[in-house]
Amino acid sequence: MAAFWQQRGRRQENGGLGSVIDGLGSVFDVLLANARLVLGVSGAAVLAIATLAVKRLIDRATSPRDEGDPKAEQKSLEESWQDLALIKTTPKPPKKQRREDLSEPLLSPARPLVPDPRGSSAPLGAPQVKSSPLRCLTLQEKLLSHSSQLAVPEIQVSLIPQLARSICTQLQNFLRSKFPELPFGRLFLSGALLDGLEVLAADHVHLMLPVVLDAGLWSLISGEDTVVRNPQYWMIKRIDLGYFPRGCSPWDRFIVGRYLSSSVLNETLHKLLVASINWPAIGGLLGCAIHPIVASRELKLEVKHDQVDLSITLFPVVEMEDKVLLAVPPEGLVENLWLESFYRAEVSRVKELDAGDSGARQLCLRILNGVCKSQPRLHKLGGSPVTHIILHLSDTASDWAEDSLADRFQQVLEELVASLEKGVLPSYFNPKVNLFSGLLEEEIDEMGFVLYRAISEPEVLL
């Protein structure tokens, strides 16, 4: 302290600058003396560090330089920067915690500023916004609202059937000119779009090509009696070859081992679609581009129009003994099998039941088809399996009014999960047929898991 006063005395002798510095020192002393009372312990510590740094700067500015030390000026500047750094790095006193702050999460989202109703008032002339209470929709209301979103765009509803029928006419004329000896029936369209069950988008349609057989020369053999042991497949056998040898039927050219081969017929038509028909000319006439799919096992055409894109699949079909058989053989070495289709009977039965009790089966089917179409993991569940579940439930659940749509929808989900757990869904028209027989075990597990989770919260599917 004595050294400090001696230095102060020397500064006073130097003139008015010493008096100013002396005054500043007195102010700092008073501030430090009362800092603890005013700022608290933390504030006083910060102020003390800052005051010490400023005093050092003042002392260096007023103290005489050492003439013999050429680095004194540089040293003084370095010490001054160190003191300034000391001021900048001085930690800020922590904010005092409040009790209510301890209950706040560490990472809480930003909240909008809410005016205090006690201390603020809306400006004059400002519109008053009344907050309406949130209304929770029931499953019934959500289903009805969702059904309104499933409608196919009007342009597709009107243009696609017209375009498909024009292609159908051109193909019919070509077949008659190319194979006049083959009694093909009249081509016709089929699919959910024509039956009012299509949802979201109409991007495909089926073209049915009837194969007219003489019932006296052909008979059906169930797939149960074949190597595949699948009652949904059938074989068409050529009979009475002793009395009616080969050549008596125009379809004998497609026989393999006395059975009408669906594979040979498809291969012939595939070559016809790919290599024989002038699709660019037909497309130019119809105002679209038509391309046959070469690599596909199916008989498919891709149609691109300015307003729509369409996929057309051609199916040779045989109708015998009240059965509809499609030339869709399973993958493998067996090439003489025909797949029985229940589609026509499914749609007819659902519409018949709805007409009898003003039911909502078609509405429920459309919603479920929309769910399966929008969920990639449920694609193979849409269409026929869902329809057969609804037909099975119609035998046990009599109330299919629109007011009971939510209950029936929930019940369909439960029945689908139960069938997937067993891996068996019997056909409504032939209980021996398992509609899940063509699915892989992994596909069944995946679909069952999705629907099992949806039972407790069906809204996740909408």
Side-chain angles (χ1 to χ4, degrees):
M1 184 65 67
F4 175 76
W5 285 109
Q6 291 175 1
Q7 186 178 5
R8 181 182 177 186
R10 288 195 301 270
R11 288 174 184 170
Q12 287 180 351
E13 294 175 356
N14 292 335
L17 178 61
S19 62
V20 173
I21 296 173
D22 190 18
L24 290 176
S26 301
V27 172
F28 290 150
D29 292 339
V30 173
L31 289 177
L32 289 176
N34 296 277
R36 180 172 299 183
L37 297 177
V38 178
L39 302 177
V41 176
S42 300
V46 174
L47 183 59
I49 295 174
T51 303
L52 178 60
V54 174
K55 280 186 174 183
R56 289 180 181 177
L57 289 175
I58 295 173
D59 290 343
R60 293 192 188 101
T62 57
S63 60
R65 298 180 182 180
D66 189 358
E67 299 297 337
D69 188 1
K71 296 184 179 180
E73 182 177 358
Q74 181 180 357
K75 182 178 180 181
S76 176
L77 290 175
E78 291 178 355
E79 292 177 351
S80 299
W81 283 113
Q82 292 175 0
D83 292 339
L84 289 177
L86 179 63
I87 297 176
K88 290 182 180 180
T89 57
T90 302
K92 296 182 179 180
K95 183 180 178 182
K96 186 177 181 180
Q97 290 285 349
R98 297 178 301 171
R99 182 181 299 272
E100 54 270 21
D101 293 338
L102 299 178
S103 62
E104 294 292 333
L106 293 178
L107 296 177
S108 58
R111 297 180 179 178
L113 295 177
V114 180
D116 188 358
R118 298 171 298 178
S120 63
S121 59
L124 295 178
Q128 297 290 333
V129 180
K130 296 182 179 179
S131 60
S132 57
L134 295 177
R135 179 169 175 264
C136 297
L137 297 179
T138 63
L139 177 59
Q140 175 79 12
E141 293 170 331
K142 291 180 180 180
L143 289 173
L144 294 176
S145 175
H146 183 73
S147 65
S148 62
Q149 304 172 10
L150 300 176
V152 179
E154 186 62 32
I155 184 63
Q156 296 183 7
V157 175
S158 59
L159 181 58
I160 284 181
Q162 177 183 354
L163 187 59
R165 288 190 180 96
S166 299
I167 296 174
C168 180
T169 301
Q170 296 293 327
L171 183 57
Q172 183 84 66
N173 295 336
F174 184 85
L175 288 174
R176 287 178 178 176
S177 63
K178 183 70 174 180
F179 303 111
E181 73 281 2
L182 295 179
F184 285 112
R186 186 174 183 82
L187 284 160
F188 63 93
L189 300 181
S190 178
L193 176 63
L194 303 176
D195 297 314
L197 298 176
E198 187 63 272
V199 294
L200 298 177
D203 53 1
H204 66 281
V205 68
H206 295 162
L207 192 57
M208 316 305 289
L209 176 61
V211 176
V212 181
L213 300 178
D214 187 348
L217 299 178
W218 304 90
S219 65
L220 299 182
I221 297 178
S222 173
E224 284 185 292
D225 301 328
T226 66
V227 293
V228 295
R229 300 297 179 184
N230 190 336
Q232 192 173 358
Y233 286 95
W234 294 78
M235 300 183 74
I236 303 176
K237 184 178 181 180
R238 178 69 158 84
I239 59 176
D240 293 333
L241 287 176
Y243 295 97
F244 304 99
R246 294 183 61 145
C248 293
S249 172
W251 302 106
D252 287 344
R253 59 188 291 186
F254 302 103
I255 286 179
V256 175
R258 297 187 62 179
Y259 296 96
L260 183 62
S261 174
S262 55
S263 296
V264 174
L265 180 58
N266 279 338
E267 290 174 1
T268 302
L269 292 174
H270 189 272
K271 294 178 181 178
L272 183 74
L273 294 178
V274 172
S276 300
I277 302 180
N278 189 355
W279 291 116
I282 295 177
L285 180 64
L286 301 178
C288 61
I290 306 174
H291 303 283
I293 306 301
V294 179
S296 175
R297 294 179 67 250
E298 298 178 317
L299 306 174
K300 297 190 69 173
L301 299 173
E302 293 293 338
V303 182
K304 293 188 177 297
H305 192 271
D306 292 339
Q307 297 175 299
V308 296
D309 291 338
L310 175 63
S311 175
I312 298 179
T313 305
L314 178 66
F315 290 103
V317 55
V318 171
E319 296 187 36
M320 287 184 63
E321 302 177 10
D322 299 328
K323 292 178 175 54
V324 179
L325 306 178
L326 303 180
V328 184
E331 295 185 5
L333 300 177
V334 182
E335 58 182 12
N336 299 331
L337 295 176
W338 295 68
L339 178 67
E340 182 175 6
S341 172
F342 302 107
Y343 177 77
R344 186 187 303 174
E346 294 166 6
V347 175
S348 176
R349 182 58 177 165
V350 169
K351 291 185 176 182
E352 179 185 353
L353 291 173
D354 273 354
D357 58 7
S358 300
R361 296 173 184 84
Q362 295 178 73
L363 178 58
C364 185
L365 178 59
R366 291 182 71 250
I367 295 175
L368 288 166
N369 282 340
V371 168
C372 294
K373 195 169 186 177
S374 60
Q375 298 273 347
R377 291 179 291 182
L378 300 179
H379 278 178
K380 293 188 177 182
L381 199 60
S384 187
V386 173
T387 306
H388 284 253
I389 287 287
I390 291 178
L391 291 176
H392 283 303
L393 285 178
S394 297
D395 293 339
T396 57
S398 58
D399 186 8
W400 280 89
E402 187 174 295
D403 294 340
S404 302
L405 177 61
D407 294 336
R408 299 288 82 80
F409 182 84
Q410 181 84 29
Q411 196 171 4
V412 169
L413 296 182
E414 295 172 357
E415 291 296 325
L416 281 173
V417 171
S419 298
L420 288 169
E421 287 178 348
K422 296 182 292 186
V424 177
L425 176 57
S427 168
Y428 181 79
F429 303 100
N430 184 358
K432 295 180 180 180
V433 174
N434 177 18
L435 299 179
F436 288 162
S437 61
L439 298 177
L440 301 176
E441 184 176 354
E442 294 79 5
E443 295 173 335
I444 292 178
D445 292 341
E446 188 174 22
M447 291 187 293
F449 177 72
V450 173
L451 294 178
Y452 179 78
R453 295 179 59 188
I455 288 180
S456 58
E457 192 176 357
E459 294 85 352
V460 299
L461 297 177
L462 303 181

